[in-house]
Amino acid sequence: MRMGGVSGATRTRVAAAVCGVMVMSLAACGGSGGSSGAKADASPRGKAGQTRVRTTDLKSIPDVGARLRKQIPANSRQVVAVYGEGRNDADSTIVLYTKNGSTWDQTRSWQGHNGKKGWTTNHEEGDKRSPVGVFTLSDAGGVLADPGAKLPYTRSASFQAPRYWAKSHWHDFDYVIAIDYNRVKGTSPNDPTRPQGQSKGGSIWLHMDHGSGTSACVSLSKPGMEYLLRTLDPDRHPVIVMGDKAELKA
């Protein structure tokens, strides 16, 4: 079993050790209100009836400017792009791009959400904004059994959302993929270690959508999470490029 250099026993101990602090760390992804029901297979541009945009043999990731494009590792062949609607907007479109040779193909897309207050280039704990940037994707986990993830997967009840949260949020962390912002790669997503300090936040994840903004994470439908878990491959060095549309293009 692949564990990214960390044994299954070690990851189980980590998950158990952080159970007592999950209320604090999960708050980075939590929210209130809303109902589930994210739409799948949406386009990052345009509406029904408009000219269809090209989705194959792309020379670069669409609508991502040189500043962030240069931060995508040369060996990355899978990019999850999160196109936020606006700096202070919680709605976003999540698109998976796959590199074939020297060009990119749009593989799949979904509607979802980001931080309830939008986006920031200087994320701080509790600001309710998602961090703009390029981050690797290296670890996954959740309450539910491994659905066939290629990334190292930690199943633990300690991912369970607190029952004092709105019922619509109880399944947020059934599946999660850690976004490598202020965390240690190769550990369970719920490892509380914060290399940049607690004030810079953490526990920024891709997780299941509850129909409204999060506290900093990116959320999408359960089928979308299952697809990403089964598709994102460490051998393809997956990364996420995320931000509001203006920052992405800058």
Side-chain angles (χ1 to χ4, degrees), residues 3-211:
M3 284 294 173
V6 179
S7 70
T10 298
R11 296 194 71 154
T12 299
R13 288 196 298 272
V14 169
V18 300
C19 184
V21 299
M22 282 305 293
V23 170
M24 177 182 69
S25 63
L26 288 180
C29 288
S32 60
S35 59
S36 61
K39 298 178 181 178
D41 299 323
S43 171
R45 301 187 206 164
K47 298 179 181 179
Q50 292 183 337
T51 302
R52 189 174 181 84
V53 298
R54 186 175 180 178
T55 59
T56 60
D57 297 323
L58 301 163
K59 293 183 179 180
S60 62
I61 305 301
D63 299 319
V64 175
R67 178 175 60 85
L68 291 177
R69 192 165 60 242
K70 291 176 181 177
Q71 297 178 37
I72 299 174
N75 62 354
S76 178
R77 306 189 72 79
Q78 290 178 322
V79 170
V80 178
V82 182
Y83 299 93
E85 286 299 315
R87 184 179 184 277
N88 301 314
D89 198 298
D91 295 327
S92 55
T93 301
I94 299 95
V95 185
L96 174 63
Y97 294 99
T98 304
K99 195 170 190 179
N100 295 300
S102 61
T103 61
W104 295 89
D105 295 339
Q106 179 180 314
T107 306
R108 194 69 66 90
S109 65
W110 306 268
Q111 292 297 327
H113 294 92
N114 49 265
K116 61 183 66 178
K117 291 188 177 181
W119 297 90
T120 179
T121 56
N122 185 26
H123 178 65
E124 300 286 346
E125 179 81 11
D127 65 10
K128 308 299 183 184
R129 293 180 179 271
S130 297
V132 175
V134 178
F135 309 99
T136 53
L137 301 170
S138 54
D139 300 281
V143 177
L144 299 181
D146 184 347
K150 290 182 170 66
L151 296 173
Y153 188 95
T154 300
R155 183 188 187 185
S156 174
S158 63
F159 283 99
Q160 181 66 62
R163 283 302 187 258
Y164 60 79
W165 285 7
K167 190 174 182 179
S168 59
H169 296 57
W170 286 3
H171 296 284
D172 281 10
F173 313 128
D174 281 359
Y175 294 127
V176 309
I177 298 171
I179 295 171
D180 292 335
Y181 168 87
N182 198 18
R183 69 178 299 270
V184 178
K185 298 180 187 180
T187 63
S188 173
N190 58 10
D191 183 338
T193 306
R194 303 284 180 264
Q196 300 175 50
Q198 193 67 34
S199 66
K200 296 303 294 180
S203 294
I204 310 290
W205 300 339
L206 284 159
H207 67 67
M208 286 171 47
D209 191 67
H210 54 249

